[in-house]
């Protein structure tokens, strides 16, 4: 073999007869968001803002959306690029068909939401970029004019109303809670517009579910400036704005929170066997502070007292003794709040329901009622009223029969008197 032929073979296969691999260099295109933005703007201009046609052109384009997703949504919202970290326009081409160029009305902004929805179906990865841009704009609410904030509120409500796939509410709502935005009342104004717009097509239950997902359901007062941050302030504001269902929901929720707090404090005091007079004072103070209805107080007292009993798994006699001992120990507490026939009757209903629902107490009903009578918690008239006209049907026939001997005794004693 000639020398030239040998060299040729070595060049081809290397010294060991293997092909030499050439490493390819990764050639990355330089970042050029301005050229991308100009190209998207041009698509808007070429189609005179017809979002149907714009969507089609974007779908067929080979623009690098995975790299410039944030820039794309800046163009959608503002008509062009924005300067990094702000909402101020950057250099470059702009178009007049953006979300912020629309009228602050649902019907004007809805086409933009449906257009974005169409884009996201083809490029679902862009949801993260939408989230980024929305979060940045919401954190910069003070930089928008009032009608700009209103447009953002309408847009945000519509994105959730249209169930824009994958947009997480907490990453949109949480950024609003910047202290300076809240203090200026901008967040309250925004969230009010948002609630109003969202409730046009959705129920209050839908809104509550959305707030739960945003981890805001229990913190609605956080949207209010400090001076207005109270249940009364909440009710006054949203009543004035015509959102009465939301006001009722919040009042009910606050009421439940106060009941829970009272129950918790009472449970601790009962467990620690605090002096009865001190427990009575604590309950009275909580009733006054929370404006709790007397009827709810009676219900809670009975629940807490019975929850504190150490029940036996099998021994019925032990259970009977434990229940009656608890009634006797805390009779003064019950007496302090069962101050009229209506409240005494409510207590009887509570005893009735518990004895009906708890098998181990089923046979205890007449003994508990007798004990409450002996301890001056229940009056004779209340017991007779329950016996003759009691309204709660749970186990009523059984309990009426069980209580009959005691009622007969009461009636005979009444006749003797």
């Amino acid at each position: 073999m000639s020398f030239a032929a040998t060299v040729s073979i070595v060049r081809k296969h290397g010294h060991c007869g293997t092909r030499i691999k050439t490493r390819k260099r990764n050639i990355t295109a330089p970042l050029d968001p301005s050229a991308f933005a100009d190209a998207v703007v041009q698509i808007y201009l070429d189609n005179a803002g017809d979002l149907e046609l714009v969507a089609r052109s974007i779908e067929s384009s080979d623009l690098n959306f995975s790299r410039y997703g944030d820039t794309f949504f800046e163009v959608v919202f503002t008509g062009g690029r924005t300067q990094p970290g702000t909402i101020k326009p950057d250099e470059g081409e702009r178009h007049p068909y953006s979300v912020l160029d629309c009228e602050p009305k649902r019907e004007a902004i809805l086409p933009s939401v449906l257009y974005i929805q169409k884009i996201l179906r083809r490029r679902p990865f862009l949801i993260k970029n939408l989230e980024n841009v929305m979060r940045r704009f919401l954190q910069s609410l003070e930089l928008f004019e009032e009608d700009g904030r209103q447009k953002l509120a309408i847009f945000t409500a519509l994105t959730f109303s249209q169930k824009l796939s994958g947009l997480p509410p907490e990453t949109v709502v949480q950024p609003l809670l910047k202290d300076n935005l809240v203090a200026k009342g901008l967040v309250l104004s925004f969230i009010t517009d948002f609630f109003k717009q969202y409730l046009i097509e959705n129920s209050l239950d839908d809104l509550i579910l959305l707030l739960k997902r945003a981890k805001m359901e229990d913190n609605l007062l956080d949207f209010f400036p400090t001076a207005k941050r109270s249940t009364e302030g909440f009710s006054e504001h949203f009543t004035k704005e015509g959102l009465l269902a939301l006001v009722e929901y919040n009042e009910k929720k606050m009421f439940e929170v106060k009941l829970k707090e009272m129950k918790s404090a009472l449970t601790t005091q009962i467990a620690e066997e605090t002096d009865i007079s001190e427990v009575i004072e604590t309950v009275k103070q909580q009733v006054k502070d929370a404006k709790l209805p007397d009827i709810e107080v009676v219900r809670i007292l009975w629940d807490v007292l019975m929850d504190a009993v150490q029940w036996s798994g099998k021994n019925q006699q032990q259970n009977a003794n434990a229940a009656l001992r608890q009634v006797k120990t805390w009779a003064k507490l019950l007496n302090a709040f069962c101050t009229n026939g209506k409240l005494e009757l409510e207590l009887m209903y509570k005893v009735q329901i518990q004895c009906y629902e708890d098998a181990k107490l089923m046979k205890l009903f007449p003994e508990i009622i007798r004990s409450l009578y002996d301890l001056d918690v229940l009056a004779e008239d209340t017991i007779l009223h329950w016996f003759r006209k009691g309204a709660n049907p749970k186990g009523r026939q059984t309990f009426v029969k069980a209580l009959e001997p005691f009622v007969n005794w009461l009636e005979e004693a009444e006749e003797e008197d």
Side-chain angles (χ1 to χ4, degrees), residues 3 6-20:
F3 175 74
T6 306
V7 169
S8 171
I9 290 167
V10 168
R11 275 182 184 156
K12 226 174 191 180
H13 300 291
H15 289 288
C16 302
T18 55
R19 184 179 290 278
I20 294 170

Side-chain angles (χ1 to χ4, degrees), residues 78 82-89 100 135-150 152 178 180-181 184 186-187 190:
T78 70
T82 59
Q83 292 175 20
T86 73
I87 63 161
K88 291 177 183 172
L100 291 172
R135 185 165 56 230
R136 174 152 43 102
F137 285 179
L138 293 178
Q139 283 178 325
S140 310
L141 276 182
E142 76 268 33
L143 302 178
F144 290 92
E145 297 295 327
E146 188 179 341
D147 79 326
R149 292 195 290 271
Q150 200 177 351
L152 276 179
K178 284 174 70 178
N180 63 320
L181 297 181
K184 290 174 184 172
L186 297 177
V187 175
F190 175 90

Side-chain angles (χ1 to χ4, degrees), residues 118-222:
K118 194 172 283 186
I119 300 290
L120 288 173
R121 283 198 194 110
R122 286 292 298 269
R123 295 183 170 89
F125 60 86
L126 283 173
I127 194 73
K128 197 70 192 163
N129 304 103
L130 174 61
E131 195 185 315
N132 293 342
V133 173
M134 284 182 75
R135 185 165 56 230
R136 174 152 43 102
F137 285 179
L138 293 178
Q139 283 178 325
S140 310
L141 276 182
E142 76 268 33
L143 302 178
F144 290 92
E145 297 295 327
E146 188 179 341
D147 79 326
R149 292 195 290 271
Q150 200 177 351
K151 289 169 194 176
L152 276 179
I154 295 170
F155 178 87
T156 308
L158 286 170
T159 58
F160 290 116
S161 197
Q162 294 295 321
K163 297 179 174 56
L164 217 63
S165 52
L167 191 66
E170 68 271 20
T171 53
V172 175
V173 176
Q174 293 287 344
L176 289 169
L177 298 174
K178 284 174 70 178
D179 289 346
N180 63 320
L181 297 181
V182 173
K184 290 174 184 172
L186 297 177
V187 175
L188 181 57
S189 174
F190 175 90
I191 214 74
T192 302
D193 286 337
F194 171 79
F195 287 167
K196 281 181 171 179
Q197 292 296 328
Y198 185 79
L199 288 169
I200 289 172
E201 288 184 337
N202 301 276
S203 69
L204 182 67
D205 287 343
D206 293 328
L207 177 60
I208 301 308
L209 194 61
L210 190 67
L211 291 167
K212 271 184 185 170
R213 285 170 55 212
K215 298 180 174 59
M216 283 304 302
E217 181 215 7
D218 296 327
N219 308 311
L220 294 180
L221 288 178
D222 291 356

Side-chain angles (χ1 to χ4, degrees), residues 19-25:
R19 184 179 290 278
I20 294 170
K21 289 182 181 174
T22 314
R23 281 187 66 193
K24 287 183 181 175
R25 281 185 303 149

